[in-house]
Amino acid sequence: MSARATTRPGGRSARVQQSVHQAVRDLEAEVGRDALTVPLVAARAGVTPSTVYRRWGDLRELLSDVAVERLRPDAPPADRGSLRADLEAWTEQFAEEMSSTAGRTYIRDALLGDPEQGNAARCSDYAAEQLKVIGVRAAGRGEAVPDVETLLDVIVAPLMYRILFRPSDLSEAYVGRLVTAALGHTAPPPGT
């Protein structure tokens, strides 16, 4: 079982996570990613290296955990007044953020240090939560809405493939085609 699965929210555990994550971010900016070591991060965070090893296992898992936190959305998706407009705005922003150099690095970190795929699931959950908000809003306006799994399959999955393996093929037109394809999978509006 992952050490993270047994940690309690709040208290010392939360403070350690916060200080270690901040140390990683600060040191990456100061000395570069290649110079990071667990002892260096631990010293900056004010904890022992054994604390970091016990909680994260190794540097890759620590970087993975930091990346997942960086990939967490800061705000709910924008309300543009219609399902299409909301999906287009969200998809364009998602594609832009994830395809940036930093975004691709965070995605790779989240996956590389994650033997149990828990971090990948957390990243997927972030996207699913955002798409659910869009869907609930649209359903409240009486619009037909594809289910979240369909949106993940038709919009997010192909975007992630392009972002990671074919970033030069990512365009606004491509993003628009994904949204159009997803809207072709809508369920009837509520109450019909």
Side-chain angles (χ1 to χ4, degrees):
M1 175 180 276
S2 166
R4 271 178 304 183
T6 62
T7 59
R8 294 182 309 264
R12 182 179 186 281
S13 180
R15 286 190 305 275
V16 167
Q17 179 174 340
Q18 182 180 5
S19 66
V20 170
H21 279 214
Q22 188 62 51
V24 168
R25 290 189 294 270
D26 292 347
L27 287 167
E28 272 186 308
E30 292 171 22
V31 300
R33 178 183 186 83
D34 293 339
L36 290 181
T37 64
V38 168
L40 184 63
V41 170
R44 174 61 68 92
V47 299
T48 64
S50 64
T51 297
V52 175
Y53 288 121
R54 191 171 40 255
R55 174 113 187 228
W56 287 280
D58 60 24
L59 184 60
R60 278 182 22 169
E61 185 63 27
L62 172 58
L63 291 174
S64 178
D65 195 47
V66 171
V68 170
E69 288 305 312
R70 287 179 166 179
L71 291 169
R72 179 191 307 261
D74 294 332
D79 185 349
R80 306 282 186 190
S82 72
L83 176 60
R84 177 178 290 278
D86 287 357
L87 280 176
E88 286 173 346
W90 182 84
T91 304
E92 288 169 7
Q93 180 180 356
F94 182 85
E96 182 179 312
E97 289 175 2
M98 296 299 123
S99 66
S100 70
T101 301
R104 286 193 316 271
T105 299
Y106 300 151
I107 292 166
R108 287 186 177 111
D109 280 351
L111 298 174
L112 279 175
D114 188 13
E116 303 297 320
Q117 296 301 307
N119 286 339
R122 285 172 57 202
C123 291
S124 177
D125 289 345
Y126 296 157
E129 289 163 9
Q130 295 266 298
L131 292 168
K132 184 177 180 183
V133 168
I134 291 170
V136 167
R137 253 192 332 237
R141 292 188 294 254
E143 295 179 79
V145 179
D147 64 84
V148 170
E149 290 302 314
T150 297
L151 294 173
L152 289 170
D153 290 345
V154 178
I155 294 176
V156 178
L159 269 179
M160 292 303 290
Y161 178 85
R162 294 281 177 134
I163 288 166
L164 290 172
F165 302 112
R166 299 181 64 111
S168 62
D169 290 346
L170 195 60
S171 66
E172 240 178 80
Y174 176 74
V175 168
R177 287 193 305 274
L178 293 177
V179 171
T180 297
L183 293 175
H185 294 277
T186 56
T192 58

